[in-house]
Amino acid sequence: MAMAGSAAQPDIAADEKAADKIYEKVCAEIETLELPLGTTLSSVYDDQPNAHQRFMEKLDARIRNHDREIEKMCNFHHQGFVEAINELLKVRADAEKLKVQVTDTNRRLQDAGKEVIAKTEESIRCRIQQRNIATVIDKLQLCLPVLEMYSKLKEQISGKRYYSALKTMEQLEHIYLPKVSQYRFCQLMGENLPKLREEIKEISMSGLKDFLESIRKHSDKIGETAMRQAQQQKTFQVALHKKTNMNIKKNKYILNGHISEDKNGVKSKYDAADEETDEEVLNVQDLVDFSPVYRCLHIYSILGDKEVFENYYRKQRRKQARLVLQPQSNMHETVEGYRKYFSQIAGFFVVEDHILHVTQGLVTGTYTTELWNMAQSKIIAVLRTHSSYCTDPDLVLELKNLIVVFADTLQSFGFPVTRLFDLLFEVRDRYNETLLKKWAGIFRTIFEADNYSPIPVANEEEYRNVISKFPFQDTETDKKPFPKKLPISQSVPQIYSQVKEFIYASLKFSESLHRSSTEIDDMLRKSTNLLLTRTLSGNLQNVIKKPHIGLTELVQIIINTTHLEQACKYLEEFITNITNISPETVHTTRLYGLSTFKDARHSAEEEIYTKLNQKIDEFIQLADYDWTMSEPDGRASGYLMDLINFLRSTFQVFTNLPGKVAQTACMSACKHLSTSLTQMLLDSDLKQISMGAIQQFNLDVIQCELFASSDPVPGFQEDTLQLAFIDLRQLLDLFMVWDWSTYLADYGQPTSKYLRVNPSTALILLEKMKDSSKKNNIFSQFRKNDRDKQKLMETVVKQLRSLVNGMSQHS
């Protein structure tokens, strides 16, 4: 244990030495004031016991060492400090004296330099002023050009020289203002320049708007002038062409008895200029001041807004185009309405064409073409609508002339007008329609005024007057001495003359259409055919169907149509002479006058047959038979004799008719009379017929047969006309002879005496006689002859019924 204790003591001593080294190191670090001290101080508090106390003791010992060193140092330097203080106290008195001397010297120096200072300050002030004046002069020399340019700018704006003003602004902005940009007034100028630009833009745009409004108001004047000039140019070219082609035949024709020379159709308003003295040729620039457009275009181009200006201009012009293309609701009533409409449109496109050629890019060819195509479609639609309202052919003709002049005007400015010339074909159809309506009224008036009597001519002069209007040719009439009558009525030459007038009127529309003679000839023939087949034919049909037109008038109508039909070849020659196109030319349209007049004549013939039959029915209605009479009167009925006398007088009027017409009318009348008499016997309302009535009826039929055999109309073969009554004759003979055995025995044989008697007809009539016999012979059953006759009748009735039944079964 002693050994163990001795061994432990050296270890404790070693630990205490190590701890002292650590504490010294910590104190050294604290003295150096190295921060942070956390790590240093943490080493003090280790696991050794009493470490804190030992560190504090070590630290106190360290402090005491330092205090001893400070004290030694102060004792070493104290004597030197005391000596320095004493020397400083000795210098203090000398410093006070020096201060007094310096103060006195400074006062005397200040008093002496006051005047020098004043002069010096004055000199400095003058130099500063001189320098400032020089500076101002230099700056003013820089600013004066700016002010002069700005003043010039104001003058240019006031003088409406906006293009120059913009150039001045550009110089101000890029050359002058940058040199003096530091000055406030220059900054204000710079800020004001955009406002001035906008003001110039607004002023130029206002001028453009005034220009657009002006040309909108004056476009009709512009268009009228352009159309007049186009018409003058065309007239000049036509005159020059005629002068250089002397072999070309002038189109002359006789109209209403005087010679008229074909120039350019109906004389238009624009032709009047050709008769005036030479006038100054005006162009669009003479009528319109385009400077607002040029000015505005230049201004917007300089300002970089050319595209904005172009779009605005085109948009406004499109709006104006729509307004110009919108017609007045009553435009179709007068030619002035059409003229103003065309003038406005022509003026609009004349202006656009001028803008296209004098400006670069404001409008383009594509734009104008598109605008014209749109306008052309609208024009065509408007003309189709309004021309359909026109009922006056003269107005339609004026419209055609205006369309031609309008198309020629636009064509002279390079616009395509093919569709407008195609439209003229539709207008031509409308013109023909109005002509047809007009001539329908003319024909109606002629027919109403006609007396339907042959034209009397007292002498050669009257005869020549008639044939000058109508190519009448009749050898027999020419041989007759004066006074004499022509077979035609007064309506014939009038109709012929009016057909020629219609051809003249149709020809007027064909002028200036840039069509060949063949096409014009074809148009004339087609329109004439319409007149003949529709208008004249319709009027003839209406006249024929009128109730007051009698047989005499119908006969005259047939004669008139016959002569008009013969005159159609002269109308063909007339058209040939006008157009110089031979009728033998391939594809030449023929006139349909032959068929027209033939149809009218056939209608008149049918109407004659109808009216003749109606007249016969009227006489038949006057019949007053006593169907129960026992004995005939011994003479024909009065109504029938009146009817025969009427037929004789009527057929005498038919002598001027073609033979077949008169024969057909006579045969038709006789057949209708026979049928009517037969129907009278077979009438269901008639219940009883006596033999005396049959005999009386037979007397009337005999008169009809005598009339038929008297040859009332020449040309019938022997007994041909009597065949109309053969059915009725055989029926009456059968009953009057009472030859039933022969009828029944020979029935169905070709050689039968009563071949034309139908069993059903005989049965109806026999039953009526049977009923009459029963009623009138109450005591007939007591007489043998009557009983036998009654039995025979019953037997015949049975046999006839069997024949009728057999026929029905066979059929």
Side-chain angles (χ1 to χ4, degrees), residues 86-365:
N86 291 332
E87 288 179 3
L88 183 61
L89 290 174
K90 292 177 182 178
V91 175
R92 183 176 181 179
D94 294 336
E96 290 292 335
K97 292 178 182 179
L98 180 61
K99 179 179 179 183
V100 172
Q101 291 175 359
V102 171
T103 303
D104 182 59
T105 302
N106 181 59
R107 179 183 55 77
R108 284 185 283 123
L109 181 61
Q110 293 293 331
D111 292 340
K114 283 183 179 178
E115 184 176 353
V116 176
I117 291 173
K119 295 296 184 180
T120 303
E121 289 178 351
E122 183 178 356
S123 175
I124 292 172
R125 187 167 57 253
C126 289
R127 287 184 179 276
I128 292 173
Q129 289 177 351
Q130 185 180 9
R131 186 175 68 248
N132 289 342
I133 290 172
T135 303
V136 168
I137 291 172
D138 292 339
K139 297 303 180 182
L140 285 176
Q141 286 178 345
L142 288 175
C143 292
L144 278 175
V146 176
L147 295 173
E148 289 174 354
M149 292 295 288
Y150 195 80
S151 176
K152 181 181 177 182
L153 172 62
K154 287 293 187 179
E155 290 178 1
Q156 289 171 341
I157 293 176
S158 299
K160 297 183 179 180
R161 292 178 288 133
Y162 303 115
Y163 182 74
S164 301
L166 289 173
K167 289 293 184 182
T168 303
M169 278 190 213
E170 188 175 353
Q171 292 177 355
L172 271 172
E173 199 168 30
H174 295 92
I175 299 175
Y176 295 96
L177 287 179
K179 297 178 180 179
V180 290
S181 59
Q182 68 273 23
Y183 300 111
R184 176 62 179 166
F185 79 93
C186 293
Q187 294 175 2
L188 293 175
M189 283 184 184
E191 293 173 357
N192 197 37
L193 289 180
K195 297 179 181 178
L196 291 177
R197 282 195 179 94
E198 290 300 321
E199 181 181 347
I200 290 175
K201 285 177 66 175
E202 291 176 0
I203 292 173
S204 62
M205 183 57 70
S206 176
L208 176 66
K209 291 178 179 178
D210 293 340
F211 166 79
L212 293 174
E213 181 65 21
S214 175
I215 60 173
R216 187 185 70 81
K217 292 180 179 178
H218 297 93
S219 60
D220 55 343
K221 178 65 175 178
I222 299 170
E224 184 179 339
T225 303
M227 291 172 71
R228 183 186 300 111
Q229 291 176 358
Q231 181 69 14
Q232 291 173 351
Q233 180 67 20
K234 183 178 179 181
T235 304
F236 172 76
Q237 291 175 353
V238 171
L240 184 63
H241 179 74
K242 288 183 178 180
K243 187 175 181 180
T244 55
N245 296 276
M246 298 301 294
N247 294 330
I248 297 178
K249 188 183 296 183
K250 291 184 178 180
N251 291 332
K252 292 185 177 182
Y253 50 82
I254 300 176
L255 179 58
N256 293 330
H258 64 277
I259 296 179
S260 173
E261 184 171 350
D262 177 20
K263 290 185 179 179
N264 287 302
V266 176
K267 191 171 184 180
S268 69
K269 175 182 178 180
Y270 307 110
D271 293 331
D274 299 336
E275 300 175 359
E276 297 176 357
T277 57
D278 293 338
E279 296 179 354
E280 181 183 359
V281 178
L282 299 177
N283 55 35
V284 66
Q285 287 179 304
D286 298 324
L287 300 173
V288 180
D289 179 16
F290 286 92
S291 59
V293 181
Y294 307 148
R295 181 166 55 247
C296 200
L297 177 60
H298 288 313
I299 289 172
Y300 272 76
S301 298
I302 292 173
L303 297 177
D305 289 336
K306 182 180 179 181
E307 185 176 353
V308 174
F309 172 72
E310 290 174 357
N311 292 335
Y312 175 80
Y313 176 84
R314 294 179 187 181
K315 181 180 179 181
Q316 294 302 315
R317 288 297 279 167
R318 284 183 182 275
K319 289 181 179 179
Q320 288 189 346
R322 293 188 183 95
L323 291 175
V324 167
L325 294 171
Q326 190 65 32
Q328 295 182 350
S329 58
N330 61 342
M331 182 180 72
H332 60 276
E333 295 178 357
T334 62
V335 69
E336 288 302 322
Y338 286 111
R339 180 175 287 115
K340 184 175 181 182
Y341 180 70
F342 284 120
S343 297
Q344 288 178 342
I345 298 173
F348 178 89
F349 282 99
V350 167
V351 170
E352 287 303 286
D353 181 77
H354 180 79
I355 293 293
L356 173 65
H357 288 89
V358 300
T359 61
Q360 294 181 351
L362 180 54
V363 295
T364 63

Side-chain angles (χ1 to χ4, degrees), residues 731-775:
L731 179 62
L732 292 176
D733 286 347
L734 175 61
F735 277 85
M736 293 181 65
V737 179
W738 207 252
D739 193 7
W740 291 107
S741 58
T742 303
Y743 175 76
L744 294 173
D746 297 341
Y747 177 75
Q749 300 296 324
T751 58
S752 174
K753 181 179 179 181
Y754 306 104
L755 180 64
R756 294 180 178 274
V757 179
N758 191 293
S760 59
T761 303
L763 177 60
I764 293 172
L765 187 57
L766 185 59
E767 287 180 338
K768 292 181 179 182
M769 290 189 66
K770 178 182 175 183
D771 293 339
S772 176
S773 176
K774 288 181 179 180
K775 183 178 179 180

Side-chain angles (χ1 to χ4, degrees), residues 35 53 61 64 78 179 189 238 291 326 344 357 424 430 450 480 492 518 549 578 597 661 671 689 697 765 780 796:
L35 299 176
Q53 182 178 0
R64 286 192 298 270
H78 176 71
K179 297 178 180 179
M189 283 184 184
V238 171
S291 59
Q326 190 65 32
Q344 288 178 342
H357 288 89
L424 287 174
R430 183 59 194 167
D450 194 8
K480 294 179 181 179
V492 173
T518 304
I549 296 295
I578 289 178
F597 296 120
V661 177
K671 285 183 176 180
I689 300 178
F697 197 80
L765 187 57
S780 59
V796 172

Side-chain angles (χ1 to χ4, degrees), residues 612-624 638-647 673 680:
L612 198 56
N613 292 342
Q614 289 175 351
K615 199 66 177 177
I616 292 173
D617 292 339
E618 292 176 5
F619 279 102
I620 293 294
Q621 289 176 2
L622 298 176
D624 187 18
Y639 85 91
L640 188 70
M641 297 308 297
D642 293 339
L643 171 58
I644 290 174
N645 291 333
F646 165 75
L647 292 176
L673 177 57
M680 190 184 300

Side-chain angles (χ1 to χ4, degrees), residues 27 31 53-73:
C27 290
E31 288 175 358
Q53 182 178 0
R54 291 172 65 189
F55 172 72
M56 292 304 294
E57 291 174 357
K58 194 70 176 177
L59 184 62
D60 290 339
R62 189 85 171 175
I63 291 171
R64 286 192 298 270
N65 289 333
H66 282 298
D67 287 342
R68 285 192 296 268
E69 289 177 2
I70 291 171
E71 185 177 353
K72 288 178 182 180
M73 187 178 289

Side-chain angles (χ1 to χ4, degrees), residues 551-789:
L551 293 171
T552 304
E553 288 81 1
L554 290 172
V555 170
Q556 186 62 56
I557 289 173
I558 291 176
I559 296 171
N560 290 348
T561 53
T562 302
H563 285 276
L564 286 171
E565 179 183 343
Q566 295 170 356
C568 283
K569 61 181 180 179
Y570 298 104
L571 290 176
E572 291 265 11
E573 294 176 1
F574 176 71
I575 295 176
T576 299
N577 292 333
I578 289 178
T579 60
N580 294 322
I581 298 297
S582 173
E584 285 75 23
T585 304
V586 180
H587 304 307
T588 299
T589 305
R590 303 296 178 182
L591 292 184
Y592 302 148
L594 296 177
S595 60
T596 297
F597 296 120
K598 282 181 180 178
D599 293 343
R601 188 162 59 252
H602 291 160
S603 297
E605 292 170 3
E606 292 296 330
E607 194 65 20
I608 285 177
Y609 307 151
T610 301
K611 287 187 178 294
L612 198 56
N613 292 342
Q614 289 175 351
K615 199 66 177 177
I616 292 173
D617 292 339
E618 292 176 5
F619 279 102
I620 293 294
Q621 289 176 2
L622 298 176
D624 187 18
Y625 287 102
D626 181 6
W627 297 108
T628 59
M629 64 172 54
S630 57
E631 296 292 335
D633 293 339
R635 61 179 182 276
S637 302
Y639 85 91
L640 188 70
M641 297 308 297
D642 293 339
L643 171 58
I644 290 174
N645 291 333
F646 165 75
L647 292 176
R648 290 185 187 280
S649 62
T650 299
F651 290 140
Q652 287 178 357
V653 177
F654 287 5
T655 54
N656 292 326
L657 285 176
K660 291 184 179 180
V661 177
Q663 292 170 11
T664 304
C666 186
M667 177 60 75
S668 173
C670 291
K671 285 183 176 180
H672 185 72
L673 177 57
S674 176
T675 302
S676 299
L677 290 174
T678 302
Q679 291 298 326
M680 190 184 300
L681 289 176
L682 302 179
D683 188 3
S684 59
D685 293 335
L686 179 60
K687 303 300 183 182
Q688 299 176 2
I689 300 178
S690 65
M691 182 56 72
I694 292 293
Q695 293 173 350
Q696 179 63 43
F697 197 80
N698 181 60
L699 293 176
D700 293 342
V701 174
I702 291 173
Q703 291 298 320
C704 294
E705 292 171 332
L706 291 174
F707 168 73
S709 62
S710 66
D711 199 14
V713 173
F716 282 111
Q717 295 181 1
E718 185 178 359
D719 297 336
T720 299
L721 196 57
Q722 290 176 289
L723 292 177
F725 299 96
I726 188 65
D727 293 1
L728 185 57
R729 169 49 53 206
Q730 290 184 7
L731 179 62
L732 292 176
D733 286 347
L734 175 61
F735 277 85
M736 293 181 65
V737 179
W738 207 252
D739 193 7
W740 291 107
S741 58
T742 303
Y743 175 76
L744 294 173
D746 297 341
Y747 177 75
Q749 300 296 324
T751 58
S752 174
K753 181 179 179 181
Y754 306 104
L755 180 64
R756 294 180 178 274
V757 179
N758 191 293
S760 59
T761 303
L763 177 60
I764 293 172
L765 187 57
L766 185 59
E767 287 180 338
K768 292 181 179 182
M769 290 189 66
K770 178 182 175 183
D771 293 339
S772 176
S773 176
K774 288 181 179 180
K775 183 178 179 180
N776 295 331
N777 300 296
I778 301 174
F779 302 102
S780 59
Q781 56 181 340
F782 300 107
R783 294 196 294 270
K784 186 178 183 301
N785 291 337
D786 293 334
R787 289 198 307 269
D788 294 341
K789 187 176 182 179

Side-chain angles (χ1 to χ4, degrees), residues 309-527:
F309 172 72
E310 290 174 357
N311 292 335
Y312 175 80
Y313 176 84
R314 294 179 187 181
K315 181 180 179 181
Q316 294 302 315
R317 288 297 279 167
R318 284 183 182 275
K319 289 181 179 179
Q320 288 189 346
R322 293 188 183 95
L323 291 175
V324 167
L325 294 171
Q326 190 65 32
Q328 295 182 350
S329 58
N330 61 342
M331 182 180 72
H332 60 276
E333 295 178 357
T334 62
V335 69
E336 288 302 322
Y338 286 111
R339 180 175 287 115
K340 184 175 181 182
Y341 180 70
F342 284 120
S343 297
Q344 288 178 342
I345 298 173
F348 178 89
F349 282 99
V350 167
V351 170
E352 287 303 286
D353 181 77
H354 180 79
I355 293 293
L356 173 65
H357 288 89
V358 300
T359 61
Q360 294 181 351
L362 180 54
V363 295
T364 63
T366 303
Y367 161 79
T368 54
T369 300
E370 178 186 350
L371 195 60
W372 168 243
N373 289 335
M374 181 273 292
Q376 197 169 200
S377 300
K378 178 66 175 178
I379 292 169
I380 291 173
V382 166
L383 292 179
R384 281 174 178 163
T385 301
H386 283 264
S387 63
S388 64
Y389 299 145
C390 292
T391 57
D392 182 9
D394 293 335
L395 180 57
V396 180
L397 188 60
E398 286 283 2
L399 172 59
K400 166 257 173 181
N401 291 329
L402 286 173
I403 294 175
V404 171
V405 174
F406 174 74
D408 289 341
T409 302
L410 271 296
Q411 191 175 39
S412 67
F413 286 92
F415 293 97
V417 294
T418 304
R419 293 174 63 190
L420 288 177
F421 281 108
D422 292 340
L423 173 67
L424 287 174
F425 286 98
E426 299 180 29
V427 178
R428 181 199 64 193
D429 295 338
R430 183 59 194 167
Y431 178 69
N432 286 337
E433 288 296 325
T434 57
L435 283 181
L436 292 174
K437 287 183 180 180
K438 179 179 179 180
W439 257 259
I442 293 173
F443 288 148
R444 186 164 52 251
T445 302
I446 291 174
F447 287 130
E448 289 174 354
D450 194 8
N451 57 8
Y452 298 98
S453 300
I455 300 176
V457 287
N459 49 48
E460 184 71 20
E461 182 180 355
E462 293 182 3
Y463 179 73
R464 294 295 176 189
N465 184 40
V466 173
I467 63 174
S468 66
K469 300 177 182 177
F470 178 76
F472 175 77
Q473 292 181 351
D474 187 25
T475 306
E476 294 183 1
T477 304
D478 291 343
K479 293 178 180 178
K480 294 179 181 179
F482 294 102
K484 57 186 176 183
K485 291 184 177 182
L486 304 182
I488 58 176
S489 66
Q490 62 184 4
S491 64
V492 173
Q494 293 175 356
I495 290 173
Y496 185 82
S497 297
Q498 287 301 324
V499 172
K500 292 173 67 176
E501 292 290 337
F502 178 87
I503 295 173
Y504 287 136
S506 297
L507 180 63
K508 289 179 181 179
F509 193 92
S510 303
E511 298 159 356
S512 304
L513 288 186
H514 310 294
R515 300 295 174 182
S516 65
S517 298
T518 304
E519 290 176 304
I520 293 175
D521 180 85
D522 187 63
M523 287 189 288
L524 282 180
R525 292 177 184 274
K526 286 181 178 179
S527 59

